[in-house]
């Protein structure tokens, strides 16, 4: 966070606040008159980013057989092609033999992992989760709304855990999992987290791997969605959760997920599940009942296009060239318009897809309403928290990737107008 | 069935049987000496059939946008592209608006339908299936092993129902579903059934649609896998199960499934789910928690390649040109080697992927063992029945599609040797 939303109300007189509010109101009226239609809601790659993978549309050209002779056009091969698993073994920190390559959505693998645990006992479990009186997951907040929605759909209780600059607050996590055997999982986006951009420290990963849990079937849902999605010259490396869990006697604890959705085509990529040999056998056993195999042609297409891990990293540098100016623009506008005002704080991520903006407590929903009236669509306030409820009503997730740079600048500038207006109105109301 | 496995033991003397057995034994020894390695196990398209869709590997060439402007490369569109749903609306007898187009496996849609019913109440259900004391499905036998395996994996009880030439024995089905509220579903492959090649009569479909069921949430799992997979000049038309269910006041009863797996690429096609508006809303609501959308590029690829329903039918004529000689060869060899012997009966399907061979009771497993010893892999005897147990031990599923014509002829000829050997040995043992 680059600035802190301190109690500015004490620093400004009522008259000074009213002047700021009046200026914000004039800016807002002007903003509404412009009749914008801009969208900052979802972390979608832009058309220009998708164009980077245009070659995929004409692949494969080297034939339709995998290295082991598999005809990728036919049925079979539930674990996915060995060569695509090799390419992503390094970035995802999972041995290729323990990696499963699937269809176009890692969310499906996460969903299926929960489903299989609900309907069949996990390795180490006393019973399937559907027969437990209650199931709960820890959710570091702010976090990813689709993780939460997936659990809500199955009646899994969501328990918020505060995020720190090093990952989830491990004192809280360790205490909760030690005392409550119904806590069966934790959602983690360990690198460039959604939306905060936090990277888990080695110590956080070690504590997650080593902590005693009351549940014998506790799982870390390690959604490494932004493993290679760097925005700086110094790519962040995180600790190897699979190795650390094994070293600490908890080999079956982590489920690792990843995908090429934000590497190649968001809607037509390859997804990955990785874990211990026991978990992979459990997962494949169930997966094999629901499919005769993934789309291996698309996996072969990706092998030809990306070639190897170096090819992935080179490709991600081209994404960075498109994304970095957008993140820089967000930072520049937020600093210029809100810096030093105490009305907001925000993240400056070194990777990933989001900027997390915190406005004054109780203001996020109203900022969203004002922005929508001005034609700027924001992810609904609260979406970054379980049940869509941010108890402080202060967090707003900004997704800079999809709009053009010009649209983005208009949208962020407009957003800062809404933040100034809502914040000064709130402070004036509080002062009355 | 072209011949009946009557009680031949009464028609032949022990000496005559011994002569037949000795001839079979000599043929079998000769067969084993040839050291074959042939596979009749799975209903996989042959490489030549897959080559029919070679153009798909270079599509799309008309750009990556759908008719409504959707960028197929990006996230979204959980119901699938409208234009691919339009093409398959006719063949699957489901209005395009009530059709969902997904990934490469209709088995996944079947699996997910069961999962969602287990974990969330179906429209009309009193509770989710996971909270029922017992769940059972009717399985017309012989049937498809993957349907059975999917249910077994969830502890769903499988109740066999005999097949007739017009579909499942409806007297049995009606009685069972009327009296047992725990029977929640029935597996149906209504056209060119797997493995019998049976096409459900209009009266069978009408009775399925109209029958009273004790369960308010009973569902027909209508796996129309071979909707356009004709082997004759007179394509079979089956009754419209969706319309008949609606007419009979049971609009939410059928779940319709289909795919292009045996139309284009077995491993890289498009799957479909179709049902009533209420069921589709229920299904999409859950599907939307597990994916942000299917691979729309692959759907667009299929739209360019198949064009329209007429394009699908024309394409299937080319498959028939490759498949028909194989089915003719199976029929010719079985007739020549086993016709009139009373040792076996078999189906002569007008479409689909299988020939169903019935040998003398108690002989199927031994035929499989003898064939394996001679290098001919058969689908394990019993696979066409729940729990892998054929109570008569007589049904063998033959999949003629994958081997070359020459390999197929060798394999079927070898199989008839095994049938003759095992049957005559059995009859001699019975006579002792």
């Amino acid at each position: 966070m680059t600035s802190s939303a301190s109690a500015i109300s004490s620093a400004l007189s009522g008259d000074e606040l009213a002047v700021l509010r009046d200026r914000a109101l004039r800016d807002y009226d002007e903003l509404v008159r412009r009749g914008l239609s801009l969208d900052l809601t979802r972390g979608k790659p832009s058309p220009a980013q998708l164009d980077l993978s245009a070659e995929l549309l004409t692949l494969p050209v080297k034939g339709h057989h995998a290295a082991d002779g598999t005809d990728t056009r036919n049925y079979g091969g539930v674990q996915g092609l060995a060569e695509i698993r090799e390419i992503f073994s390094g970035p995802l920190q999972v041995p290729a033999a323990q990696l499963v390559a699937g269809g176009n959505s890692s969310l499906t693998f996460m969903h299926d992992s929960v489903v299989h645990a609900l309907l069949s006992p996990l390795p180490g479990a006393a019973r399937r989760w559907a027969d437990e009186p209650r199931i709960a997951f820890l959710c570091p907040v702010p976090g990813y709304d689709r993780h939460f929605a997936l659990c809500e759909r199955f009646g899994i209780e969501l328990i918020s855990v505060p995020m720190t600059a090093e990952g989830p607050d491990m004192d809280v996590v360790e205490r909760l999992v030690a005392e409550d055997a119904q806590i069966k999982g934790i959602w983690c986006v360990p690198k460039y987290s959604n939306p905060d951009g936090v990277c888990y420290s080695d110590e956080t990963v070690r504590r997650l791997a080593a902590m005693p849990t009351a549940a014998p079937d506790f799982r870390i849902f390690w959604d490494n969605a932004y493993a290679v999605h760097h925005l700086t010259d110094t790519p962040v490396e995180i600790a190897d959760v699979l190795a650390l869990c094994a070293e600490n006697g908890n080999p079956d604890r982590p489920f690792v997920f990843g995908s090429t959705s934000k590497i190649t085509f968001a809607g037509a990529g390859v997804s990955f599940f990785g874990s211990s040999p026991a978990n992979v056998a459990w997962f494949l056993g169930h997966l094999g009942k629901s499919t005769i195999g993934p789309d291996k042609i698309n996996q072969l297409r990706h092998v030809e296009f990306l070639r190897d891990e170096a090819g992935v990293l080179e490709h991600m540098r081209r994404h960075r060239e498109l994304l970095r100016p957008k993140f820089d623009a967000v930072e520049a506008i937020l600093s210029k318009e809100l810096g030093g005002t105490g009305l907001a704080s925000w993240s400056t991520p070194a990777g990933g897809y989001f900027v997390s903006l915190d406005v004054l407590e109780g203001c996020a929903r109203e900022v969203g309403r004002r922005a929508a009236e001005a034609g700027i669509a924001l992810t609904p306030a609260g979406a970054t928290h379980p049940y869509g409820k941010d108890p402080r009503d202060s967090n707003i997730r900004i997704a800079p990737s999809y709009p053009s740079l010009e649209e983005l600048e208009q949208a962020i500038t407009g957003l800062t107008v809404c933040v100034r207006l809502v914040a000064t109105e709130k402070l004036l109301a509080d002062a009355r």
Side-chain angles (χ1 to χ4, degrees), chain A:
Chain A
M1 301 285 165
T2 54
S3 77
S4 159
S6 56
I8 193 162
S9 53
S10 61
L12 289 175
S13 72
D15 286 350
E16 288 168 316
L17 268 175
V19 169
L20 287 175
R21 193 269 321 268
D22 291 346
R23 180 165 77 84
L25 201 52
R26 280 194 305 275
D27 292 346
Y28 184 73
D29 288 342
E30 164 65 21
L31 180 69
V32 171
R33 265 196 301 274
R34 292 172 63 194
L36 300 177
S37 176
L38 301 168
D39 192 334
L40 293 175
T41 58
R42 305 286 343 166
K44 292 167 65 168
S46 66
Q49 286 180 270
L50 297 169
D51 287 344
L52 296 176
S53 302
E55 191 187 345
L56 263 183
L57 291 171
T58 62
L59 297 176
V61 294
K62 297 178 186 167
H64 47 259
H65 287 86
D68 67 356
T70 297
D71 186 337
T72 60
R73 305 171 303 175
N74 222 324
Y75 289 117
V78 75
Q79 195 174 353
L81 293 189
E83 45 264 61
I84 190 76
R85 292 187 280 113
E86 283 292 342
I87 294 176
F88 282 89
S89 171
L92 294 174
Q93 298 168 294
V94 179
Q98 290 164 238
L99 212 48
V100 178
N104 73 324
S105 171
S106 59
L107 191 65
T108 299
F109 272 167
M110 298 177 216
H111 174 269
D112 290 354
S113 302
V114 173
V115 161
H116 298 322
L118 282 163
L119 295 173
S120 297
L122 279 164
R127 62 183 77 86
R128 61 181 196 160
W129 291 357
D131 293 330
E132 296 277 356
R134 167 182 154 258
I135 296 280
F137 267 53
L138 300 184
C139 304
V141 292
Y144 180 35
D145 55 350
R146 291 189 192 272
H147 289 165
F148 307 152
L150 196 163
C151 281
E152 281 184 62
R153 174 252 179 285
F154 296 120
I156 294 171
E157 182 186 331
L158 304 174
I159 301 172
S160 294
V161 172
M163 281 289 271
T164 75
E166 303 208 343
D169 184 327
M170 285 308 300
D171 293 341
V172 175
V173 170
E174 286 171 344
R175 180 173 51 76
L176 288 171
V177 300
E179 70 195 18
D180 186 349
Q182 299 314 120
I183 297 177
K184 299 294 190 184
I186 182 172
W187 287 110
C188 296
V189 181
K191 195 190 279 193
Y192 311 133
S193 74
N194 176 354
D196 270 343
V198 166
C199 297
Y200 288 23
S201 70
D202 291 354
E203 178 63 5
T204 295
V205 183
R206 193 199 58 74
R207 289 174 72 178
L208 281 166
M211 66 189 181
T213 64
D217 50 352
F218 179 86
R219 290 294 184 277
I220 300 170
F221 282 68
W222 194 256
D223 183 4
N224 203 352
Y226 309 106
V228 290
H229 303 60
H230 316 295
L231 287 169
T232 78
D233 285 328
T234 50
V236 171
E237 303 282 351
I238 56 170
D240 181 340
V241 71
L242 211 56
L244 281 172
C245 284
E247 280 168 30
N248 284 278
N250 301 309
D252 298 334
R253 183 172 288 181
F255 282 166
V256 176
F257 304 95
S259 84
T260 70
S261 292
K262 292 184 178 88
I263 297 175
T264 58
F265 292 144
V270 178
S271 59
F272 300 94
F273 168 89
S275 195
S276 66
N279 281 338
V280 170
W282 172 87
F283 188 77
L284 285 176
H286 297 315
L287 187 64
K289 298 289 185 292
S290 74
T291 179
I292 313 177
D295 182 340
K296 298 181 298 297
I297 296 178
N298 201 39
Q299 295 184 356
L300 191 65
R301 212 174 261 134
H302 277 73
V303 171
E304 271 195 34
F305 180 62
L306 296 169
R307 293 187 315 280
D308 51 26
E309 183 175 341
V312 174
L313 298 178
E314 174 54 31
H315 185 70
M316 293 312 293
R317 271 191 284 276
R318 289 190 280 268
H319 277 289
R320 180 183 154 199
E321 284 170 16
L322 295 169
L323 283 172
R324 183 66 206 232
K326 294 184 179 178
F327 280 82
D328 286 347
V330 173
E331 170 65 30
I333 296 167
L334 292 178
S335 289
K336 173 165 174 278
E337 300 295 334
L338 299 175
T341 65
L343 300 181
S345 62
W346 56 91
S347 61
T348 48
Y353 260 63
F354 301 102
V355 172
S356 184
L357 175 70
D358 279 307
V359 296
L360 296 187
E361 196 162 334
C363 288
R365 293 168 68 91
E366 179 65 6
V367 168
R369 193 186 67 77
R370 288 286 197 178
E373 276 188 8
I376 301 166
L378 296 175
T379 306
T384 54
H385 287 65
Y387 311 110
K389 285 179 194 141
D390 174 2
R392 299 183 64 241
D393 186 25
S394 73
N395 188 247
I396 293 171
R397 187 183 81 165
I398 298 173
S401 57
Y402 191 78
S404 68
L405 188 57
E406 188 190 3
E407 288 170 336
L408 179 67
E409 288 170 344
Q410 290 184 335
I412 299 296
T413 304
L415 172 60
T416 62
V417 171
C418 300
V419 170
R420 284 193 282 116
L421 177 60
V422 173
T424 51
E425 282 182 337
K426 169 78 160 43
L427 292 172
L428 279 169
D430 289 351
R432 270 199 292 273

